């Protein structure tokens, strides 16, 4: 019932923009009283809704000192949007509407596909086997190699 | 492929360090995935750096462009900025030394120090 009423009010919002009277109160950056009323009634998440407020995960660097302030939010009252929950869906491009996938998006998809292939491997890694013959030792910083890696000493 | 192999090797070494440090193990497949991601990320970086430089009407990528890559995280930006300041001051020192040297024995190569700089910047980005 919410959806149909929100549709109605979308058109109401449009008429608000086009209508003469409303344009006057629309000049501020903030919502006009009418818009606020619509937002409050249709879109605003309230306690009675039984849904948690969505929040985005924050940037965090494991290997660096973190400057970003951790915003305090009640774990139980919010729903942190997950970027990894549906990872098994992400080895193919998702449909687009107006904005095409970017190059980095395609990189992401290919890597997810690669991981999907590697997931089923046991022991030897096909990627390693394929790439190892091309290693030229002069390309790499050899000093780093203080401990022996299985990756490196099998050649 | 040769580039990929070099990246894979270096990623392997770095992962080994982390593994010892954190007392965890990486599967070969994990290392392969990280190195493929790194390889592809270099493409993203390269394109962005080129565009940033062009946006500033330059054809040479500078440390300012590299800082822009790190703009989304304050911590990362601070880290990169520190590193670039360190590099800059070290470069100054080296130039001072070079000046003294070259005035003493006329003919120091400047190419050497420059490759050193780009190399360490590369490893920062990876």
């Amino acid at each position: 019932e919410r959806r149909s009423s929100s549709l109605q009010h979308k058109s109401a919002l449009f008429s608000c923009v086009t209508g003469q009277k409303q344009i006057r109160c629309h000049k501020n950056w903030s919502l006009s009283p009418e818009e606020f009323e619509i937002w409050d009634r249709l879109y605003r998440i309230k306690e009675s809704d039984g849904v948690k407020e969505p929040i985005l995960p924050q940037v965090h660097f494991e290997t660096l000192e973190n400057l970003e302030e951790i915003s305090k939010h009640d774990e139980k009252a919010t729903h942190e949007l997950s970027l990894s929950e549906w990872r098994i869906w992400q080895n193919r491009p998702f449909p687009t509407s107006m904005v095409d996938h970017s190059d980095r998006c395609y990189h992401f998809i290919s890597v997810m596909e690669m991981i999907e292939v590697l997931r089923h491997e046991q022991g030897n890694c096909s990627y390693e086997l394929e790439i190892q013959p091309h290693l030229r030792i002069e390309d790499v910083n050899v000093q780093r190699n203080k401990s022996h890696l299985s990756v490196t000493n099998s050649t | 492929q040769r580039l990929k192999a070099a990246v894979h090797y270096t990623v392997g070494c770095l992962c080994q360090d982390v593994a010892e440090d954190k007392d965890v193990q990486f599967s070969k497949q994990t290392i392969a995935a990280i190195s493929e991601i790194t390889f592809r990320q270099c493409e993203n970086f390269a394109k962005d750096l080129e565009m940033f430089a062009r946006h500033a009407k330059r054809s040479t990528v500078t440390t300012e462009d590299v800082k822009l890559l790190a703009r989304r995280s304050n911590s990362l930006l601070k880290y990169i900025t520190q590193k670039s300041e360190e590099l800059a001051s070290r470069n100054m020192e080296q130039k001072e030394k070079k000046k003294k040297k070259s005035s003493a024995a006329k003919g120091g190569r400047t190419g050497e120090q420059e490759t050193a700089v780009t190399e360490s910047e590369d490893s920062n980005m990876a």
Side-chain angles (χ1 to χ4, degrees):
Chain A
E1 106 281 17
R2 242 195 132 91
R3 189 163 292 173
S4 63
S5 66
S6 92
L7 261 177
Q8 261 172 30
H9 281 277
K10 237 183 203 168
S11 49
L13 266 175
F14 271 112
S15 69
C16 173
V17 182
T18 46
Q20 281 273 316
K21 190 195 124 220
Q22 275 90 348
I23 276 178
R24 215 164 22 99
C25 57
H26 203 281
K27 280 186 176 149
N28 282 326
W29 60 269
S30 60
L31 297 179
S32 67
E34 292 87 358
E35 288 165 342
F36 183 87
E37 193 273 327
I38 289 166
W39 171 70
D40 188 57
R41 190 158 40 90
L42 296 173
Y43 311 123
R44 186 184 195 169
I45 294 174
K46 295 168 191 143
E47 254 171 60
S48 59
D49 288 335
V51 285
K52 296 169 176 179
E53 190 190 342
I55 52 154
L56 283 167
Q58 286 191 296
V59 230
H60 172 79
F61 264 90
E62 198 66 50
T63 54
L64 296 177
E65 153 203 20
N66 279 283
L67 298 170
E68 279 80 9
E69 73 239 52
I70 293 125
S71 68
K72 13 68 183 124
H73 50 249
D74 192 2
E75 290 270 316
K76 278 176 197 149
T78 58
H79 170 63
E80 188 175 284
L81 300 174
S82 171
L83 292 169
S84 55
E85 197 180 342
W86 300 103
R87 55 186 167 270
I88 53 165
W89 287 46
Q90 301 197 296
N91 57 349
R92 79 209 82 156
F94 268 59
T96 58
S97 167
M98 301 280 282
V99 181
D100 277 346
H101 295 300
S102 61
D103 285 344
R104 67 188 62 201
C105 181
Y106 281 119
H107 282 317
F108 175 75
I109 293 163
S110 332
V111 170
M112 290 311 276
E113 177 57 23
M114 173 196 163
I115 289 171
E116 184 59 34
V117 172
L118 292 179
R119 191 209 303 278
H120 304 293
E121 288 184 359
Q122 299 275 316
N124 266 340
C125 170
S126 57
Y127 185 83
E128 188 189 326
L129 295 175
E130 186 195 330
I131 238 152
Q132 195 130 70
H134 302 279
L135 180 65
R136 301 278 182 286
I137 209 70
E138 67 266 26
D139 292 344
V140 293
N141 195 351
V142 193
Q143 290 152 323
R144 265 198 221 281
N145 188 24
K146 37 186 184 194
S147 49
H148 279 282
L149 261 181
S150 52
V151 186
T152 61
N153 60 15
S154 53
T155 12
Chain B
Q1 293 294 70
R2 183 176 160 182
L3 260 176
K4 278 196 184 193
V7 171
H8 186 226
Y9 177 88
T10 310
V11 166
C13 295
L14 292 173
C15 284
Q16 184 73 10
D17 289 351
V18 175
E20 278 163 23
D21 194 42
K22 302 273 173 190
D23 206 25
V24 288
Q25 284 219 335
F26 293 97
S27 71
K28 287 181 171 184
Q29 284 75 16
T30 308
I31 292 171
I34 295 173
S35 72
E36 180 69 16
I37 291 165
T38 308
F39 186 81
R40 287 165 179 273
Q41 184 69 352
C42 287
E43 204 175 292
N44 296 333
F45 282 159
K47 283 185 185 156
D48 284 349
L49 288 170
E50 214 181 322
M51 294 305 249
F52 293 156
R54 202 190 298 169
H55 189 65
K57 301 189 171 60
R58 279 185 273 105
S59 57
T60 314
V61 171
T62 69
T63 49
E64 290 308 302
D65 304 321
V66 177
K67 284 184 205 163
L68 278 178
L69 289 179
R71 69 195 177 281
R72 290 204 177 87
S73 156
N74 285 330
S75 337
L76 186 61
L77 187 57
K78 185 185 162 206
Y79 180 79
I80 296 284
T81 307
Q82 270 175 7
K83 285 284 166 201
S84 93
E85 278 160 13
E86 279 170 33
L87 271 173
S89 61
R90 220 183 305 154
N91 270 5
M92 289 292 274
E93 275 171 37
Q94 275 179 341
K95 268 182 193 162
E96 293 288 295
K97 275 184 200 165
K98 282 260 160 79
K99 263 184 197 167
K100 282 173 196 164
K101 261 188 204 168
S102 60
S103 55
K106 287 178 184 173
R109 283 200 321 164
T110 40
E112 250 175 51
Q113 97 191 38
E114 258 152 40
T115 46
V117 171
T118 44
E119 244 171 33
S120 54
E121 239 159 50
D122 274 353
S123 56
N124 273 350
M125 293 197 324

